[in-house]
Amino acid sequence: MQADFWYTKSLEEMSDGEWEALCDGCGKCCLNKLIDEDTDELVHTNVACELLNTHSCACSDYVNRFAKVPDCLKITRDKLDDYFWLPSTCAYRLLAEGQSLPSWHPLRTGSKSAMHKAGQSVRGKVVPESKAGNWEDHIITWAC
């Protein structure tokens, strides 16, 4: 993988490995969302997908995630416009909007520790689906 590839390649030009590497592993996209029945507005919750490891912020069964969680979505280049719900800090969204990666992004720092230290991951902020109860009690704005 070419160093700093995100500066020199468009999203469409990236290899599959480069595309995957853009994910910072924050876990924000693995939080459940709700649609407000009155306004049709999408709202985020701090209720984590059952497969999300809430400490590492990684999927505990990435390879089988689609079979185990039918609602899990694969983020692909051809559907970026459909992913308006991705957090504003998401590399896919940032690069699609012509912006750069944040200073804490693992591709810039070499590890996830700066992301966690900057409070940009879900670590310590979420509840698993099995313990959440009513999801409407878990609406948040910090993952948007």
Side-chain angles (χ1 to χ4, degrees), residues 20-47:
E20 287 287 323
L22 289 177
C23 177
D24 57 30
C26 69
K28 292 175 186 174
C29 64
C30 299
L31 299 179
N32 288 286
K33 292 125 190 99
L34 300 170
I35 300 287
D36 184 303
E37 292 177 10
D38 297 327
T39 66
D40 285 335
E41 177 186 6
L42 181 80
V43 293
H44 294 74
T45 73
N46 70 340
V47 179

Side-chain angles (χ1 to χ4, degrees), residues 87-106:
S88 60
T89 56
C90 177
Y92 300 120
R93 181 173 170 181
L94 288 170
L95 294 177
E97 293 173 353
Q99 299 180 54
S100 187
L101 298 181
S103 60
W104 48 260
H105 194 284

Side-chain angles (χ1 to χ4, degrees), residues 9-125:
K9 294 183 178 183
S10 70
L11 293 171
E12 294 77 20
E13 295 171 326
M14 292 180 190
S15 69
D16 290 345
E18 290 167 334
W19 175 262
E20 287 287 323
L22 289 177
C23 177
D24 57 30
C26 69
K28 292 175 186 174
C29 64
C30 299
L31 299 179
N32 288 286
K33 292 125 190 99
L34 300 170
I35 300 287
D36 184 303
E37 292 177 10
D38 297 327
T39 66
D40 285 335
E41 177 186 6
L42 181 80
V43 293
H44 294 74
T45 73
N46 70 340
V47 179
C49 168
E50 63 191 60
L51 294 180
L52 184 67
N53 177 315
T54 59
H55 180 73
S56 70
C57 303
C59 183
S60 63
D61 196 357
Y62 189 74
V63 173
N64 299 304
R65 68 194 185 279
F66 302 118
K68 291 187 174 182
V69 181
D71 292 350
C72 185
L73 297 174
K74 183 172 186 167
I75 308 299
T76 59
R77 296 168 185 84
D78 61 328
K79 294 185 179 179
L80 274 176
D81 290 340
D82 295 343
Y83 305 131
F84 60 90
W85 51 266
L86 286 171
S88 60
T89 56
C90 177
Y92 300 120
R93 181 173 170 181
L94 288 170
L95 294 177
E97 293 173 353
Q99 299 180 54
S100 187
L101 298 181
S103 60
W104 48 260
H105 194 284
L107 284 173
R108 295 185 73 184
T109 65
S111 77
K112 289 186 176 185
S113 61
M115 174 187 61
H116 294 305
K117 190 174 184 176
Q120 293 299 325
S121 73
V122 301
R123 182 185 281 173
K125 301 176 186 174

